[in-house]
Amino acid sequence: MTTSTTAEPSPAAPLLDLQALVVSVRRRRRLWCAMALVGLLVGAALAVLMPPSPTATTKVLVAHAQDQPNDTGTLIRTDVQLLQTTQIADKALKSLRSTAKPEDFMQDYRGTGLTNNLLEITVTGDSDAQAVARAQALADAFVTDHVQRMRATAQAEAKALLDQRDRMRDELAQVNKEIGGQSAGSDPKASATLESLFARRAELNSRIADFDQRAADARTGTPQVVAGTQIVDAPRALRHSLPKAVVTDAVIGFVLGLVIGLALAAVGTVVADRPVLRRDIAANLGASVIAELPRRSGRPWQRRRTRLTRERLTATLARTTRGSAEAVSLLELGCARNTGAIALDLARAVAAEGPVTVVDALPRPQLAARRQKPGDPTVIGAERAATLPPQERRIGVGSVAPGTAWTDLQYLGTRTVLVVRAGHGSAAWLHTVARQLADQHIPVIGVVLIDPDPRDRTDGTLWDGLHTALRGRSERPPRQPGPEPGPEPGPGHRRAERQPVWAARGPDNDQEAR
């Protein structure tokens, strides 16, 4: 039986991880909180620096000859559009004796149909008195124009009906004349003609009376329209409340700034592709997360928990350092100060067993330049690392940020612990770090996550490759009886490294990571 060595295809990753997106946006709360604050301040400033112009309003009741209970507002919308015409604007300006152009004046007022017969006119001006005068002039001009149009329509309708009546009368006179010229006799044909003339005369009389009635109704409807169209709410200036305007504009600016900030944070998160969840960081680096520490000391009630976590991490790293002759290094990505503090704690923990030296190879040497306190370990710069005797224990502190001299990392330690700040490096750069360390045969025994998300519940443990993980030390099989083991490997010996998770993704992704 043969065993296939072909790797099974991994499940397809989602195009957008909503959990990671939400966490990343929440971590960028400084951005969208700042945008919301800027929007609030800008809105409040605009309300103070750019107050609204003095405004006046009036309401006009508009009567229509074609009013119907089921009207959908077509007539009042027509009145609103008629208000926005140069004819009415020109009449209002003439009554105000103003030399402004009607086109410019039309930009200073607007009409709103409140109901089918109620029109509200809002006008702005340089002062409250001017705004009130403009509103009065506009209302009067609109009422006058509406009444004139209704009267002209009624007169035209009445004239058309009376003209039709006059034509019917002329036809009736012609019929009466024909009836007078006929004589009643025994001729059946003459009798039938006379009967048709009498019927035609009766029809014409009825139609003439109908036209008279319709013309009278048309004339009667005009006074109702004239009396019904009037100003029902006298022009008055609107009171402007500065506190209310400030609060309203500030709330609007706050909401707009918050929305824009959240959008920018979401877009920046998707474009930058910076992992923040422990499962993503562990998968990209090919090593498990062994500890989490805050970036700063935090609030007073959190300091005790942070101190206990740091002590447990120091004890774990100290056991790892004592159990092997290989040197251990701490390589940082976005958290040089935290990495230096961890290195000093580790050096103090192992100093009881013999002298230990901390090699500071950070881009900006922080440990070598600090003032040493009594009991602190010896700290030297990277340029003096070659002068240390091989048997002396060392702890290297370096960086894997862009610009790192990768070939120098093996002189800091043959094994390393990565101290990574969550959300600092992109996924592509984490791949690059893992590949470069693999090329240098430097196994990563664990990842210390700095500034993790407090609501992250993902698993940062990789359950394969126990020979490089710290937890694998307690899960090794017992030693089988057999020949005595060979001599202890020297300091130059390099431990075989397991294949990281990204190595099975193909050469294309590998090249991209480079």
Side-chain angles (χ1 to χ4, degrees):
M1 178 182 295
T2 59
T3 303
S4 175
T5 59
T6 304
E8 296 182 0
S10 59
L15 296 178
L16 183 62
D17 190 346
L18 293 181
Q19 182 182 6
L21 178 62
V22 171
V23 172
S24 299
V25 171
R26 187 170 63 244
R27 290 176 62 88
R28 295 191 175 191
R29 54 184 175 271
R30 290 186 179 180
L31 171 62
W32 46 266
C33 286
M35 293 294 295
L37 180 60
V38 169
L40 185 144
L41 296 178
V42 170
L46 289 179
V48 175
L49 301 178
M50 300 179 62
S53 302
T55 306
T57 181
T58 183
K59 295 178 182 178
V60 180
L61 180 63
V62 185
H64 306 94
Q66 301 85 8
D67 273 337
Q68 298 293 333
N70 58 351
D71 181 52
T72 59
T74 304
L75 297 177
I76 196 66
R77 287 196 296 269
T78 302
D79 295 331
V80 170
Q81 296 302 320
L82 288 173
L83 182 66
Q84 298 286 341
T85 57
T86 56
Q87 180 179 353
I88 294 181
D90 184 62
K91 290 181 180 180
L93 290 175
K94 287 181 179 179
S95 65
L96 294 172
R97 297 180 181 179
S98 175
T99 58
K101 295 182 180 180
E103 293 80 3
D104 299 334
F105 181 49
M106 290 168 56
Q107 306 297 326
D108 297 337
Y109 70 87
R110 70 177 185 274
T112 306
L114 301 180
T115 64
N116 291 345
N117 297 97
L118 192 60
L119 175 65
E120 183 182 47
I121 302 175
T122 305
V123 192
T124 59
D126 297 335
S127 62
D128 291 342
Q130 185 186 33
V132 171
R134 284 184 167 188
Q136 184 67 47
L138 270 173
D140 293 338
F142 176 79
V143 170
T144 302
D145 180 78
H146 182 75
V147 169
Q148 289 178 355
R149 285 187 290 104
M150 294 297 102
R151 284 178 176 174
T153 301
Q155 291 174 1
E157 184 178 358
K159 184 177 183 302
L161 294 173
L162 293 177
D163 291 344
Q164 189 70 11
R165 181 203 62 181
D166 292 340
R167 286 194 295 271
M168 294 296 102
R169 283 181 176 179
D170 293 340
E171 187 176 353
L172 178 61
Q174 182 65 28
V175 171
N176 288 333
K177 184 178 180 181
E178 291 180 3
I179 292 175
Q182 296 289 336
S183 59
S186 57
D187 187 3
K189 185 176 181 180
S191 299
T193 302
L194 188 60
E195 289 180 3
S196 64
L197 290 176
F198 277 113
R200 179 60 177 167
R201 183 173 67 178
E203 180 185 359
L204 290 175
N205 285 329
S206 176
R207 297 183 64 183
I208 289 172
D210 180 62
F211 282 124
D212 284 335
Q213 183 63 36
R214 291 170 61 185
D217 292 341
R219 288 192 296 269
T220 303
T222 302
Q224 296 177 356
V225 173
V226 173
T229 303
Q230 57 183 325
I231 300 175
V232 295
D233 190 4
R236 57 185 176 84
L238 296 179
R239 299 301 177 187
H240 173 64
S241 176
L242 181 60
K244 182 179 179 181
V246 170
V247 172
T248 302
D249 292 355
V251 170
I252 295 175
F254 176 83
V255 173
L256 291 178
L258 181 61
V259 172
I260 294 175
L262 289 175
L264 291 177
V267 173
T269 297
V270 175
V271 173
D273 190 19
R274 299 178 182 271
V276 294
L277 300 179
R278 62 173 67 94
R279 72 176 180 203
D280 298 332
I281 295 176
N284 287 316
L285 290 175
S288 300
V289 176
I290 60 176
E292 297 179 358
L293 293 174
R295 188 181 177 188
R296 299 178 178 87
S297 58
R299 300 175 177 85
W301 58 87
Q302 296 176 340
R303 294 176 181 175
R304 181 175 181 275
R305 182 171 56 184
T306 302
R307 185 176 67 256
L308 294 177
T309 303
R310 189 183 295 275
E311 291 176 356
R312 287 195 297 267
L313 173 62
T314 302
T316 301
L317 296 180
R319 287 194 300 268
T320 304
T321 304
R322 297 189 190 102
S324 174
E326 299 182 63
V328 177
S329 64
L330 300 175
L331 303 179
E332 65 86 22
L333 181 59
C335 48
R337 181 176 300 178
N338 300 86
T339 307
I342 296 173
L344 291 179
D345 292 343
L346 176 60
R348 295 189 188 101
V350 299
E353 301 179 1
V356 59
T357 303
V358 178
V359 180
D360 185 4
L362 294 172
R364 295 181 180 180
Q366 299 181 5
L367 302 180
R370 66 187 296 271
R371 180 182 300 177
Q372 291 191 356
K373 300 179 181 179
D376 283 352
T378 304
V379 180
I380 63 174
E383 65 279 358
R384 297 175 52 193
T387 61
L388 293 176
Q391 67 275 10
E392 185 173 350
R393 191 182 302 272
R394 71 176 68 183
I395 299 175
V397 183
S399 175
V400 288
T404 298
W406 302 105
T407 55
D408 294 341
L409 296 181
Q410 58 183 340
Y411 299 104
L412 298 178
T414 55
R415 296 178 302 161
T416 186
V417 175
L418 293 177
V419 185
V420 180
R421 176 184 168 190
H424 180 77
S426 64
W429 184 250
L430 296 181
H431 279 280
T432 301
V433 171
R435 165 56 72 186
Q436 293 291 345
L437 292 177
D439 290 345
Q440 298 298 321
H441 300 285
I442 303 176
V444 180
I445 59 178
V447 177
V448 177
L449 191 60
I450 303 298
D451 192 22
D453 184 76
R455 301 181 184 179
D456 183 10
R457 297 296 181 266
T458 60
D459 187 8
T461 303
L462 299 182
W463 298 101
D464 55 348
L466 294 180
H467 60 284
T468 57
L470 290 178
R471 58 189 173 84
R473 295 179 173 273
S474 61
E475 300 181 16
R476 291 177 179 174
R479 179 179 296 179
Q480 300 295 332
E484 291 293 328
E488 184 71 14
H493 174 73
R494 292 187 178 92
R495 175 176 292 179
E497 182 194 9
R498 70 176 178 88
Q499 186 182 18
V501 295
W502 43 262
R505 299 185 180 180
D508 295 337
N509 292 338
D510 181 24
Q511 184 66 22
E512 180 182 356
R514 284 178 175 268

